[in-house]
Every structure is written in structure tokens, then in C-alpha cells.
Amino acid sequence: RAGTPRMIKRTSSTGDSLNQVNTGRGLGGDDAPGSFDAETPEHKRAQRTRSTASPFAWTRAMLTTTASSGAGRDARYLAIVICGLLLGAVFAARLVFASALARGSASSYVDASADAMCGDAPRHVVIVDAGSTGCRAHTFEIVPGAAKPRFQLRAIGKKVKGHTPLASLAGVGDDAVANAIVPMLEQALAKVPADERSATPLYLWATAGVRVLSDEEQSSLWASVARVVSRRTRFRLGLDGGGLRVENERSHFRTIDGEEEGFFAWLAANQLSGRDMTSVGAPDAEAVPQTVGALDVGGGSAQIVALPASKILSPDERGRPPADLLELKRRVYVRSYLGYGANHVEKRMWAAAAAAAKARGESETSIPCAFLGRTEAVDGVTLTGTGDFDACEREVRAEVRALQTRDGSPMRAPADVVGVGRFLAMSLPYHLTHFLHVALPDGLRGFPRPTLSSIKAGARRACATKWEDALAGWDGVDANTATDRLPGRCFDGALVTALLEGGDGEDGEGGVGFGFSQNADEI
């Protein structure tokens, strides 16, 4: 149960340069707008029910089998990398990973064919983050270690971008799926030495963009992906006879739920901060340290994850630490809010503005959440930005409040969660604040740890800029803000502050977000 993936800094826009769907705003990242509606509470429950192939189930199965085999503490470790889904790293990206380690022989494993990494770890692995707005393939070398951490993942080159959201491939057929993902996969595999490519496993996991699809759509999509990869690439997969097993499709190819996504982000945030949480439960593991929290706002969802100090030890009289990653996950506070990402919120707000204009018999209307003078056509209505950040924030806050009412899921986190001491914010919060820091003449006060008050002040100044001036002065100044991504930065400022703020909103209405203070600098 040891593994120390290294975090890789993203160097391009959050969602990379991707196809635009149903909006006039360019994509380009996990924080870019897309085409998928928010998930209903019933859909969320169905997603949790069908997400049965959690990596932690592997941990539990391996520990149970090992105990019964009599291998005990004296047996050697077999390093099993169960997943490594890169959701990027802080300061531009987030890495989603998990790793498991069991004692015993290879024969201890039940149904080892279900996962290509159920034996000794290979030299390389390719991990694909299938996000809301596109896919990113990362190639890693697995570097053994003589002691904890027993192995590391070393990135080989830069990520390879796929410009098509995986969810948009549902129902299109194998050829279309192959055209969308095989070139990306071949480029990622080409980084591996030729004689080792057939031994290199692939893990392609999807997040919020695919979670909004129905069960039937997801099953069909993953079956198509599995067929394409097994027949048109050289990756090593868990096989049974001539074809892929159902268990394998949920291991190498699967949709992770929001809690998994948040928990992986939390593991990554702590890894970046020098806290190896994947060693929890190992005989030589150190005591569980005071941890950092993780905040993630992407294109389709938002997460907050933290381990309050009161949960580090069990509440019973023995005060024991978590025995393994599965127990640790149960103690961590994880909340994921599907439909609260930039894609979904902006799409709904723009569509609502267009619908209201149509109801009034108008073909054009103004919106506060766009740069001054920028126009965009939505459903036959021309939307013109006024660059009014305060009005934009009020509208975004109302939208977030409406989502919470609809879902029955208040976002406010408990005081002991918000108060863990330090949080690392990933994806949109970083990309927005970095953009403001490099675009504004005097930078963003406090960056890279700006307060929410500072973010609001910077976003207010940016939003009021005439669109032609913003395009002329800011296009290309930030590696995470491509040309087709620039128009959304006004809206992004309002969304980030609305999702993070607490009860001290500047307009006296109080915040609707996770509960952070306007002037706190713990993020």
C-alpha cells in the first residue's frame, strides 16, 4: 500500500483546446463550458450504486486473501498500481491516483486477469484523464524504491491532448471512438521503449462529463472504448481468452464517482505537501499527520475534501489510526457537487438569459457576466456583456443557491473542515487567479494565496475592461488561458468566489459556498 506519484504541472489551458459545444465560449479546460446538464439526485444515487469497482475494493479483497493465505507479515510486497488518473496538479493541474500493496504470492490474488497490474508492476503505465471537455493522456515510468516510498511515478514528457470530450462519443460507434482516442493513445504509448509497449497497461477513467450520462449510455460507451483499445492499440489489458472481461472494463475503463474524484484530489494535495497518505496501514507507516484540504472546481463539478483533526484517530477509547486506505476514505470529509462546474453553470445561465429575452419578444439582451461589450449568440439571441462583476456575482450566487435547493444539498462545510488550516485549490481557482495575476498591471494581491476579497477586487477590475482591450492586451499572456478561453474569465471570477465564500458576503446576503472567510488566506 505504497506509492508516490509525482505531480505534473499543466502548461496549457485547463481543459486544453477542445471542441465547442452549444456555447459561443471557447473550451480549453476542465473549467470551460460544455454541453451537459446537471445530474439529478436520483442519477447521483444510481451512479454511486453502479460504481462498484472502486480501487479500494481491490485493497479489501487483497488484504482478505492475503490474511487467509498465511503469508503474513514476513512475505514480500507485491506492488499493485490500481489506478492513476491524472486530474491535474495544483498550480495548474490535479493528479488523481490510488495505489495498493499486498503481501503474499501472486496466487493470493482472486481473479488476477481482471486487471493487468495484478502481478509485479510493469516498467511503464499510461493514464488518461477523460474530463468534462476532453482527454489528457499521461505516460509514466514506474521507478522502484528500496524503501518507502516503494515506487514512484515519473512523468515522461508532456501530456497528450485529445480534443473530444469522451461523453460526446456515446452512441457514435467504434470507428468514431477510435478516430477520437487512438491517435492520442498512440502518441502516449510512443514515449515507451518499443520493446516494452506491449507490456504497458492503460487506465482510462472518466469524471463528471460521463457521470451525467445514463447507465445505458455509459455501458455502451465503455464497451466501445474497450473494444477499440483491445483491437487497435498494443496496450496490455486484463484479458480472459479472446476478449475483455466485464470486471476489467470497470478497472481499466470506468467512470469514477464524485467522492472518488475528490478523495484522489485530496491524496494528491497531501502528496504535494509532503504527506504520503497511501502508506496508511502499512507496518512501517508513520502516524497520520495533520493534513491539508483540497478544493477542486472543474468543468462539471466542484469538490471539497478534508480530514478534520478529530477524525485522524478513531472516536472509540482506543483512538486507533485508520487501518487502510478504505478506512481512511471513510473518515475523510468528501463532498462532490455535480453540475456546479463552469461548464454547467454558465450554460444554464446563458440559456436562461436567452429564454427570458425570447419571452419578452427580444432578439438581444445584456448579461453582466461577460467583458464589457463582448457579444455572443445563444439560441438566436445576442447576449452583450456589461462587465458588471457585482451583478454577475449576485446572479451566480442565486444560481448556486437554486442548485442547492433543487438537490437538497447545502454546500456549507462544517467548521472543523474549513478550519483544517490549509487548502490547495485546483483547476479553475488556480487558472483564474493566475490569469488575474499576470493580466492585471499590478498583479493579484496575495497570489498565490489571495483572499476571496482580493480575488473579487481583481475580477471586478478585469470584468469592467472593454472586450477589444482585453483581447488586445491579455490574449496569450497566460499559458492557462487560450484565446478561446479568455471570454469566460469574467464569469469564472464570480463562480469561484460564490463557491468558496462563507456567510460574510459583501452585499449582506451571506454566502452560499463552502464557508471560507472573505479575508482568510488559508487557500
Side-chain angles (χ1 to χ4, degrees):
R1 186 184 291 89
T4 309
R6 292 190 179 276
M7 311 309 298
I8 310 304
K9 181 181 184 298
R10 287 192 177 183
T11 56
S12 63
S13 61
T14 305
D16 318 315
S17 179
L18 303 168
N19 294 331
Q20 181 175 352
V21 183
N22 293 337
T23 72
R25 171 176 166 188
L27 302 183
D30 294 340
D31 56 332
S35 62
F36 310 116
D37 294 329
E39 191 173 47
T40 64
E42 291 75 15
H43 198 161
K44 292 180 182 179
R45 286 192 289 272
Q47 177 62 48
R48 287 194 292 269
T49 300
R50 67 169 167 261
S51 186
T52 57
S54 166
F56 308 105
W58 282 96
T59 305
R60 181 167 45 202
M62 289 188 292
L63 292 175
T64 301
T65 308
T66 301
S68 64
S69 70
R73 291 179 175 269
D74 296 328
R76 66 183 182 90
Y77 274 107
L78 292 176
I80 310 296
V81 177
I82 297 185
C83 75
L85 176 63
L86 204 66
L87 297 179
V90 79
F91 297 131
R94 53 197 157 100
L95 175 66
V96 170
F97 74 94
S99 48
L101 188 72
R103 298 176 183 272
S105 64
S107 60
S108 299
Y109 294 101
V110 176
D111 194 13
S113 65
D115 192 309
M117 300 185 77
C118 274
D120 292 326
R123 289 280 306 276
H124 301 87
V125 60
V126 172
I127 298 164
V128 178
D129 164 16
S132 298
T133 57
C135 299
R136 275 75 65 188
H138 305 261
T139 305
F140 292 99
E141 178 186 3
I142 299 176
V143 182
K148 187 174 80 75
R150 297 179 182 85
F151 65 86
Q152 295 181 344
L153 298 183
R154 183 181 67 81
I156 302 177
K158 296 181 178 180
K159 63 185 176 184
V160 180
K161 306 171 188 177
H163 300 300
T164 304
L166 189 66
S168 68
L169 300 174
V172 301
D174 289 4
D175 288 340
V177 170
N179 291 337
I181 70 172
V182 169
M184 171 190 66
L185 297 177
E186 289 179 339
Q187 290 182 56
L189 189 58
K191 300 177 184 180
V192 176
D195 60 343
E196 297 179 11
R197 291 172 188 169
S198 61
T200 299
L202 167 71
Y203 291 85
L204 195 159
W205 287 11
T207 54
V210 174
R211 284 204 295 269
V212 300
L213 300 178
S214 68
D215 290 354
E216 294 75 17
E217 289 173 320
Q218 290 193 46
S219 296
S220 175
L221 175 60
W222 286 125
S224 179
V225 169
R227 286 193 299 270
V228 166
V229 173
S230 62
R231 297 172 183 174
R232 308 193 192 192
T233 73
R234 298 178 59 195
F235 286 103
R236 177 188 173 197
L237 303 171
L239 300 175
D240 180 22
L244 291 167
R245 299 173 60 97
V246 173
E247 295 90 343
N248 177 69
E249 290 179 14
R250 294 202 303 264
S251 178
H252 287 274
F253 314 107
R254 62 184 292 261
T255 307
I256 66 172
D257 63 35
E259 291 190 357
E260 285 180 296
E261 183 177 357
F263 183 65
F264 294 154
W266 179 80
L267 290 176
N270 281 278
Q271 192 73 44
L272 279 173
S273 304
R275 299 163 173 84
D276 178 15
M277 306 308 296
T278 65
S279 65
V280 168
D284 58 348
E286 300 174 0
V288 177
Q290 184 69 33
T291 59
V292 302
L295 299 168
D296 194 349
V297 181
S301 61
Q303 286 93 26
I304 180 171
V305 196
L307 177 63
S310 61
K311 300 292 186 180
I312 293 179
L313 299 178
S314 63
D316 59 34
E317 66 280 0
R318 289 174 293 179
R320 56 181 176 77
D324 52 35
L325 279 175
L326 184 62
E327 184 177 343
L328 176 65
K329 182 176 182 288
R330 288 195 293 263
R331 296 190 189 187
V332 171
Y333 179 91
V334 184
R335 295 293 184 275
S336 180
Y337 299 88
L338 187 60
Y340 291 62
N343 297 20
H344 295 211
V345 176
E346 187 185 54
K347 181 191 173 184
R348 285 191 302 269
M349 291 181 61
W350 271 216
K358 283 185 174 182
R360 298 190 300 266
E362 301 172 353
S363 60
E364 58 183 36
T365 190
S366 61
I367 56 173
C369 296
F371 288 106
L372 182 60
R374 186 180 187 274
T375 61
E376 179 173 335
V378 176
D379 296 334
V381 176
T382 300
L383 308 181
T384 302
T386 64
D388 186 343
F389 176 81
D390 294 326
C392 176
E393 187 181 39
R394 287 192 293 271
E395 290 193 5
V396 170
R397 186 181 294 159
E399 176 68 17
V400 172
R401 183 180 289 112
L403 285 172
Q404 295 178 55
T405 300
R406 182 201 70 183
D407 297 341
S409 301
M411 294 186 69
R412 186 60 50 83
D416 61 345
V417 170
V418 175
V420 297
R422 184 187 177 204
F423 279 80
L424 298 189
M426 310 176 189
S427 297
L428 182 57
Y430 172 74
H431 294 129
L432 166 71
T433 55
H434 187 268
F435 165 76
L436 294 174
H437 188 60
V438 300
L440 297 176
D442 52 352
L444 180 63
R445 181 166 53 88
F447 183 84
R449 297 180 67 173
T451 63
L452 291 180
S453 179
S454 175
I455 296 173
K456 288 187 179 186
R460 188 177 292 115
R461 291 172 56 193
C463 284
T465 304
K466 292 182 179 179
W467 170 239
E468 56 266 29
D469 294 337
L471 187 60
W474 296 339
D475 184 22
V477 301
D478 174 31
N480 296 301
T481 305
T483 300
D484 60 356
R485 191 68 189 85
L486 179 60
R489 288 307 186 208
C490 177
F491 166 82
D492 293 341
L495 180 63
V496 167
T497 55
L499 292 178
L500 301 188
E501 69 183 354
D504 53 352
E506 292 179 352
D507 59 7
E509 295 181 4
V512 296
F514 293 134
F516 292 94
S517 168
Q518 295 284 333
N519 297 312
D521 63 355
E522 66 264 36
I523 301 174

